Amino acid sequence: MEELYEAIKNCENILYRGFSTTKSSNSEWLNKCCGCFSHLLKLLHEIIVDAAKSEQRQTLIENIFLCIMQIVTGIKFMEQVTDIEETKDLVLTSSRQFFLDEILKSLQNLKEVAENIESKCFPAIEPTLNECIDTVLELLEPLCTFEEVENVAERNANAMISVAKIKPLVESIVSHTLDFSNVCISEDKTPISVMCQKVLKECQALEEECSLSDPKKPPNDANRRLKADILEAAMYQLENLINDALLRLVIDTFKDLKCFSVKNLLEDSSEVDPQEIIDGIIDRLFQIGRFGIMFADEMKVSALIKHSLSAFEALESHLSPGILKKYDENHRFLLESHWNEQTSLLQSNIQKIIDTKAICSTFEEILDATVTKLNQNFDVAEMKNVLVKANVLADHFRLNLTDDSMKQLLKDFHLMMKECHAALNFVDKIDSKRLVKRLKILKTTVKKIREGLKPQIIHVESTKEEEEGTPVKKQRISSPIKLLPDVEELIIIEEKSLVKPQKIETIKKSRQTSYKFDANVSKIIQDAKNNSTRNNGTRTLKRNKSLRRMAMRNVETANFDMKMPEDKSLSLHITEILENITNVSSTFSSKRRHDIEMSRSNKIRIHIIGDV
């Protein structure tokens, strides 16, 4: 590791020269930094191979990839800074400060990862919201199942212990779900909030039913099963609400990004505060990014999403309208370029994770609601709004549907999109009913695309007992559940009296790329994994309607273990990933090549400095 620490130190020393505010500070130091970074990547390749053999390999390698991406991005923009300086004969102090700080921070993080690997002292892995929901449902399973047992006292004690574990998990799930609902579209906030109250209420009822504190009122097994079934159903309903709200949030946020520009923040508007606009967008992007990280089945995708979120966190304070106006025009241009690049990167990675059938179904519901509104009162702005959302769906199709069998359906979709846009140009001359009819045809086209998709294969592993031929009770598969009548009543009755969750503060704060859970919650989830009867610590995926089914693409396992080739192919696999994440050669001029001392026999091609 000493050689790695030395390489990091050399990079830092060279980068410090970039803080010079004199015109004599040319790009020579940046050329040397690229050469030093190429040597650093060679050393990292060996460390990644070693880290891949660790139990926490996914977190370690993901963090290394994240640091590399941040350094690559910083150096790429630093070259743009030096090019502008040379062209316009000036020094962009603010730009240098911003991008050099990000590079140095990434190098420091890289050093910390190396120290963790060397000391074998790894930070605790935070559980995900999905793992919390899975653990609750797994703990509820024996409570929902009828079993004849001789030792009733033991069964009652086990039930009380299980509920004691379930309660903190449910409280954490509700807390983070309410945090998510803060940024959801208005139509989803009340149902989610009411359902959270429903889950807490049923959890409390189950806890009371399993209590052993009153000897005169012993637990009733039938009542306990009923309460557990009701809580399980409420958990499924909450999850389904999150599914739908998440997809609607993605479509709505990506639609807003298409209409948003950093230049808009400089405009004085009495209708909307520009600060609220940027805060709202970043809040939503972070929530979407967290779910994206949760469901990413590749380390590279997860690291790319984290990279974008890290960039938003760095940009957030600089994009404040009051501060942005004070910056030089060139610095504002660089910040805007950085923002546009990272929002595009995040959108493409999230689009690749989202399940196509799910987003089609959600868009069909949006079109239905829009058609209903337009039939009652035709509004051109409403139709334009839904067509921008259709462009988000078009982006998804472009990234995910490459099968030749879908070409004609996609052609029909794009043709109808063009017709809708063309009709809007002559809205005064065309009957509004004809415009609405085109939206109906657009919905039919989307429905045909959804129905034309190949059915999704759900991978379910067999248990040890099944492999050995031991008869086991089959897990119940939950069917789609609609809101219970009492929940619908709650929504109507309590809508006005409902205590709204606090809004996310818009002041500068340290954002997290994942949900933070109490240490006790993390321990309960880890114990549940360790006590699982599944092979390799995995469990049967119980639900056919879950976050990973409805909103995101299907994956083979619930814990998203990194699947990497072994032995010699492992090194080649890591090399390929390193090449891809550092492939920005088109942004660098050919003169960089001559300043790099690197052997052509090196197995790693460092694209950041051009073709080697």
Short mmCIF file of all heavy atoms in Angstrom, two decimals, residues 508-544:
data_model
loop_
_atom_site.label_atom_id
_atom_site.label_comp_id
_atom_site.label_asym_id
_atom_site.label_seq_id
_atom_site.Cartn_x
_atom_site.Cartn_y
_atom_site.Cartn_z
N LYS A 508 -28.45 24.38 3.10
CA LYS A 508 -27.35 23.49 2.75
C LYS A 508 -27.16 22.45 3.83
O LYS A 508 -27.07 22.77 5.01
CB LYS A 508 -26.06 24.31 2.57
CG LYS A 508 -24.81 23.47 2.37
CD LYS A 508 -24.86 22.68 1.09
CE LYS A 508 -23.56 21.92 0.87
NZ LYS A 508 -23.62 21.05 -0.29
N LYS A 509 -27.12 21.19 3.46
CA LYS A 509 -26.95 20.11 4.43
C LYS A 509 -26.19 18.98 3.78
O LYS A 509 -26.06 18.89 2.57
CB LYS A 509 -28.30 19.61 4.91
CG LYS A 509 -29.25 19.22 3.77
CD LYS A 509 -30.61 18.93 4.30
CE LYS A 509 -31.60 18.66 3.17
NZ LYS A 509 -31.84 19.82 2.35
N SER A 510 -25.68 18.10 4.62
CA SER A 510 -24.96 16.94 4.12
C SER A 510 -25.97 15.89 3.69
O SER A 510 -26.73 15.37 4.50
CB SER A 510 -24.04 16.37 5.22
OG SER A 510 -23.40 15.21 4.77
N ARG A 511 -26.01 15.60 2.41
CA ARG A 511 -26.98 14.64 1.89
C ARG A 511 -26.37 13.24 1.91
O ARG A 511 -25.18 13.06 1.83
CB ARG A 511 -27.38 15.01 0.46
CG ARG A 511 -28.11 16.36 0.37
CD ARG A 511 -28.52 16.62 -1.06
NE ARG A 511 -29.19 17.88 -1.21
CZ ARG A 511 -30.49 18.05 -1.05
NH1 ARG A 511 -31.25 17.03 -0.73
NH2 ARG A 511 -31.04 19.23 -1.22
N GLN A 512 -27.24 12.25 2.01
CA GLN A 512 -26.81 10.86 2.03
C GLN A 512 -27.29 10.17 0.76
O GLN A 512 -28.41 10.41 0.31
CB GLN A 512 -27.38 10.13 3.26
CG GLN A 512 -26.98 10.75 4.59
CD GLN A 512 -25.50 10.62 4.87
OE1 GLN A 512 -24.82 9.76 4.31
NE2 GLN A 512 -24.98 11.49 5.72
N THR A 513 -26.42 9.33 0.19
CA THR A 513 -26.81 8.59 -1.01
C THR A 513 -27.61 7.34 -0.67
O THR A 513 -28.10 6.66 -1.56
CB THR A 513 -25.57 8.19 -1.82
OG1 THR A 513 -24.70 7.41 -0.99
CG2 THR A 513 -24.83 9.42 -2.31
N SER A 514 -27.72 7.01 0.61
CA SER A 514 -28.52 5.86 1.03
C SER A 514 -29.27 6.23 2.30
O SER A 514 -28.92 7.18 2.99
CB SER A 514 -27.63 4.63 1.27
OG SER A 514 -26.69 4.91 2.30
N TYR A 515 -30.30 5.44 2.62
CA TYR A 515 -31.07 5.69 3.82
C TYR A 515 -30.26 5.29 5.05
O TYR A 515 -29.58 4.26 5.06
CB TYR A 515 -32.37 4.90 3.79
CG TYR A 515 -33.33 5.38 2.74
CD1 TYR A 515 -33.55 4.63 1.58
CD2 TYR A 515 -34.01 6.57 2.89
CE1 TYR A 515 -34.43 5.07 0.61
CE2 TYR A 515 -34.89 7.02 1.91
CZ TYR A 515 -35.10 6.27 0.79
OH TYR A 515 -35.95 6.71 -0.18
N LYS A 516 -30.34 6.09 6.10
CA LYS A 516 -29.64 5.81 7.34
C LYS A 516 -30.61 5.17 8.34
O LYS A 516 -31.68 5.70 8.61
CB LYS A 516 -29.04 7.10 7.93
CG LYS A 516 -27.92 7.68 7.07
CD LYS A 516 -26.74 6.72 7.00
CE LYS A 516 -25.63 7.29 6.11
NZ LYS A 516 -24.51 6.37 5.97
N PHE A 517 -30.20 4.02 8.90
CA PHE A 517 -31.04 3.31 9.84
C PHE A 517 -30.35 3.22 11.19
O PHE A 517 -29.12 3.28 11.30
CB PHE A 517 -31.34 1.89 9.33
CG PHE A 517 -32.21 1.87 8.11
CD1 PHE A 517 -31.65 1.88 6.84
CD2 PHE A 517 -33.58 1.84 8.22
CE1 PHE A 517 -32.44 1.86 5.71
CE2 PHE A 517 -34.39 1.83 7.11
CZ PHE A 517 -33.82 1.84 5.85
N ASP A 518 -31.16 3.05 12.23
CA ASP A 518 -30.64 2.87 13.57
C ASP A 518 -29.79 1.61 13.64
O ASP A 518 -30.05 0.63 12.93
CB ASP A 518 -31.82 2.79 14.55
CG ASP A 518 -31.36 2.69 15.99
OD1 ASP A 518 -31.01 3.74 16.57
OD2 ASP A 518 -31.35 1.57 16.51
N ALA A 519 -28.79 1.61 14.52
CA ALA A 519 -27.88 0.46 14.65
C ALA A 519 -28.65 -0.81 15.02
O ALA A 519 -28.32 -1.91 14.56
CB ALA A 519 -26.80 0.75 15.68
N ASN A 520 -29.69 -0.66 15.84
CA ASN A 520 -30.49 -1.81 16.24
C ASN A 520 -31.22 -2.41 15.05
O ASN A 520 -31.33 -3.63 14.92
CB ASN A 520 -31.50 -1.38 17.32
CG ASN A 520 -32.31 -2.55 17.83
OD1 ASN A 520 -31.79 -3.64 18.02
ND2 ASN A 520 -33.60 -2.32 18.06
N VAL A 521 -31.71 -1.54 14.15
CA VAL A 521 -32.39 -2.01 12.95
C VAL A 521 -31.42 -2.79 12.05
O VAL A 521 -31.75 -3.85 11.54
CB VAL A 521 -33.01 -0.82 12.18
CG1 VAL A 521 -33.53 -1.27 10.82
CG2 VAL A 521 -34.12 -0.19 12.99
N SER A 522 -30.23 -2.25 11.89
CA SER A 522 -29.22 -2.93 11.07
C SER A 522 -28.88 -4.30 11.63
O SER A 522 -28.70 -5.27 10.90
CB SER A 522 -27.95 -2.07 10.98
OG SER A 522 -28.23 -0.81 10.43
N LYS A 523 -28.81 -4.39 12.97
CA LYS A 523 -28.49 -5.67 13.62
C LYS A 523 -29.60 -6.69 13.41
O LYS A 523 -29.33 -7.87 13.15
CB LYS A 523 -28.25 -5.44 15.11
CG LYS A 523 -27.79 -6.70 15.88
CD LYS A 523 -27.51 -6.39 17.32
CE LYS A 523 -26.97 -7.62 18.04
NZ LYS A 523 -27.89 -8.77 17.98
N ILE A 524 -30.85 -6.23 13.51
CA ILE A 524 -31.99 -7.13 13.31
C ILE A 524 -31.97 -7.69 11.89
O ILE A 524 -32.18 -8.89 11.67
CB ILE A 524 -33.31 -6.39 13.57
CG1 ILE A 524 -33.43 -6.04 15.06
CG2 ILE A 524 -34.51 -7.25 13.15
CD1 ILE A 524 -34.60 -5.12 15.38
N ILE A 525 -31.70 -6.83 10.91
CA ILE A 525 -31.67 -7.28 9.51
C ILE A 525 -30.53 -8.26 9.28
O ILE A 525 -30.68 -9.29 8.62
CB ILE A 525 -31.54 -6.07 8.57
CG1 ILE A 525 -32.80 -5.21 8.64
CG2 ILE A 525 -31.29 -6.51 7.13
CD1 ILE A 525 -32.71 -3.92 7.88
N GLN A 526 -29.36 -7.96 9.86
CA GLN A 526 -28.21 -8.85 9.70
C GLN A 526 -28.47 -10.20 10.35
O GLN A 526 -28.12 -11.25 9.80
CB GLN A 526 -26.96 -8.20 10.31
CG GLN A 526 -25.66 -8.93 9.99
CD GLN A 526 -25.40 -9.05 8.50
OE1 GLN A 526 -25.56 -8.10 7.75
NE2 GLN A 526 -25.03 -10.24 8.06
N ASP A 527 -29.09 -10.19 11.54
CA ASP A 527 -29.42 -11.45 12.22
C ASP A 527 -30.40 -12.27 11.40
O ASP A 527 -30.29 -13.50 11.33
CB ASP A 527 -30.01 -11.17 13.60
CG ASP A 527 -28.97 -10.63 14.58
OD1 ASP A 527 -27.77 -10.78 14.29
OD2 ASP A 527 -29.37 -10.04 15.61
N ALA A 528 -31.37 -11.57 10.77
CA ALA A 528 -32.35 -12.27 9.94
C ALA A 528 -31.67 -12.94 8.75
O ALA A 528 -32.03 -14.05 8.36
CB ALA A 528 -33.42 -11.30 9.46
N LYS A 529 -30.66 -12.25 8.19
CA LYS A 529 -29.92 -12.84 7.06
C LYS A 529 -29.14 -14.06 7.51
O LYS A 529 -29.11 -15.09 6.85
CB LYS A 529 -28.96 -11.81 6.47
CG LYS A 529 -29.61 -10.70 5.67
CD LYS A 529 -28.54 -9.77 5.12
CE LYS A 529 -29.15 -8.65 4.32
NZ LYS A 529 -28.11 -7.74 3.78
N ASN A 530 -28.47 -13.93 8.66
CA ASN A 530 -27.64 -15.03 9.17
C ASN A 530 -28.46 -16.25 9.55
O ASN A 530 -27.99 -17.39 9.42
CB ASN A 530 -26.83 -14.57 10.38
CG ASN A 530 -25.83 -13.49 10.02
OD1 ASN A 530 -25.41 -13.38 8.86
ND2 ASN A 530 -25.44 -12.68 10.98
N ASN A 531 -29.69 -16.03 10.04
CA ASN A 531 -30.54 -17.13 10.48
C ASN A 531 -31.39 -17.69 9.36
O ASN A 531 -32.19 -18.58 9.58
CB ASN A 531 -31.46 -16.66 11.61
CG ASN A 531 -30.68 -16.28 12.85
OD1 ASN A 531 -29.61 -16.81 13.10
ND2 ASN A 531 -31.21 -15.33 13.63
N SER A 532 -31.21 -17.14 8.14
CA SER A 532 -32.00 -17.62 7.03
C SER A 532 -31.64 -19.05 6.70
O SER A 532 -30.50 -19.47 6.81
CB SER A 532 -31.76 -16.73 5.79
OG SER A 532 -32.43 -17.25 4.67
N THR A 533 -32.65 -19.83 6.30
CA THR A 533 -32.42 -21.23 5.91
C THR A 533 -32.07 -21.36 4.45
O THR A 533 -31.93 -22.45 3.93
CB THR A 533 -33.69 -22.06 6.19
OG1 THR A 533 -34.78 -21.51 5.44
CG2 THR A 533 -34.03 -22.06 7.67
N ARG A 534 -31.91 -20.22 3.77
CA ARG A 534 -31.62 -20.25 2.34
C ARG A 534 -30.16 -20.52 2.08
O ARG A 534 -29.29 -20.25 2.90
CB ARG A 534 -31.99 -18.91 1.70
CG ARG A 534 -33.41 -18.46 1.96
CD ARG A 534 -34.40 -19.32 1.26
NE ARG A 534 -34.16 -19.28 -0.15
CZ ARG A 534 -34.59 -20.16 -1.00
NH1 ARG A 534 -35.27 -21.19 -0.58
NH2 ARG A 534 -34.34 -20.06 -2.27
N ASN A 535 -29.84 -21.04 0.93
CA ASN A 535 -28.46 -21.21 0.50
C ASN A 535 -27.82 -19.85 0.30
O ASN A 535 -28.44 -18.95 -0.24
CB ASN A 535 -28.38 -22.01 -0.81
CG ASN A 535 -28.79 -23.44 -0.61
OD1 ASN A 535 -28.59 -24.01 0.46
ND2 ASN A 535 -29.39 -24.03 -1.63
N ASN A 536 -26.57 -19.73 0.72
CA ASN A 536 -25.80 -18.50 0.53
C ASN A 536 -26.47 -17.30 1.18
O ASN A 536 -26.26 -16.17 0.78
CB ASN A 536 -25.59 -18.20 -0.96
CG ASN A 536 -24.86 -19.33 -1.64
OD1 ASN A 536 -23.98 -19.94 -1.06
ND2 ASN A 536 -25.24 -19.61 -2.87
N GLY A 537 -27.30 -17.55 2.18
CA GLY A 537 -27.92 -16.45 2.92
C GLY A 537 -29.01 -15.71 2.15
O GLY A 537 -29.39 -14.62 2.52
N THR A 538 -29.52 -16.30 1.07
CA THR A 538 -30.58 -15.62 0.33
C THR A 538 -31.92 -16.26 0.64
O THR A 538 -32.00 -17.36 1.17
CB THR A 538 -30.33 -15.70 -1.18
OG1 THR A 538 -30.28 -17.08 -1.56
CG2 THR A 538 -29.01 -15.04 -1.54
N ARG A 539 -32.99 -15.55 0.30
CA ARG A 539 -34.33 -16.01 0.60
C ARG A 539 -35.17 -16.06 -0.67
O ARG A 539 -34.85 -15.41 -1.65
CB ARG A 539 -35.03 -15.06 1.58
CG ARG A 539 -34.39 -15.01 2.91
CD ARG A 539 -35.16 -14.04 3.80
NE ARG A 539 -34.53 -12.72 3.77
CZ ARG A 539 -35.01 -11.70 3.12
NH1 ARG A 539 -36.10 -11.79 2.43
NH2 ARG A 539 -34.40 -10.53 3.16
N THR A 540 -36.24 -16.79 -0.58
CA THR A 540 -37.19 -16.77 -1.70
C THR A 540 -37.80 -15.39 -1.81
O THR A 540 -38.19 -14.80 -0.82
CB THR A 540 -38.31 -17.80 -1.44
OG1 THR A 540 -37.73 -19.08 -1.29
CG2 THR A 540 -39.30 -17.81 -2.60
N LEU A 541 -37.88 -14.87 -3.00
CA LEU A 541 -38.56 -13.60 -3.21
C LEU A 541 -40.05 -13.86 -3.17
O LEU A 541 -40.61 -14.49 -4.06
CB LEU A 541 -38.13 -12.99 -4.55
CG LEU A 541 -36.65 -12.70 -4.64
CD1 LEU A 541 -36.34 -12.11 -5.99
CD2 LEU A 541 -36.22 -11.75 -3.54
N LYS A 542 -40.71 -13.37 -2.12
CA LYS A 542 -42.09 -13.76 -1.86
C LYS A 542 -43.09 -13.08 -2.77
O LYS A 542 -44.17 -13.59 -3.00
CB LYS A 542 -42.45 -13.42 -0.40
CG LYS A 542 -41.66 -14.21 0.61
CD LYS A 542 -41.82 -13.67 2.02
CE LYS A 542 -43.25 -13.40 2.36
NZ LYS A 542 -43.44 -12.94 3.74
N ARG A 543 -42.74 -11.93 -3.27
CA ARG A 543 -43.74 -11.10 -3.89
C ARG A 543 -43.62 -11.09 -5.41
O ARG A 543 -42.53 -11.03 -5.94
CB ARG A 543 -43.64 -9.66 -3.35
CG ARG A 543 -43.51 -9.64 -1.85
CD ARG A 543 -43.60 -8.27 -1.28
NE ARG A 543 -42.42 -7.46 -1.50
CZ ARG A 543 -41.25 -7.70 -1.00
NH1 ARG A 543 -41.03 -8.77 -0.29
NH2 ARG A 543 -40.24 -6.90 -1.21
N ASN A 544 -44.76 -11.12 -6.06
CA ASN A 544 -44.73 -10.92 -7.50
C ASN A 544 -45.03 -9.46 -7.84
O ASN A 544 -44.98 -9.06 -8.97
CB ASN A 544 -45.73 -11.85 -8.20
CG ASN A 544 -47.17 -11.54 -7.81
OD1 ASN A 544 -47.42 -10.80 -6.86
ND2 ASN A 544 -48.11 -12.14 -8.52
#
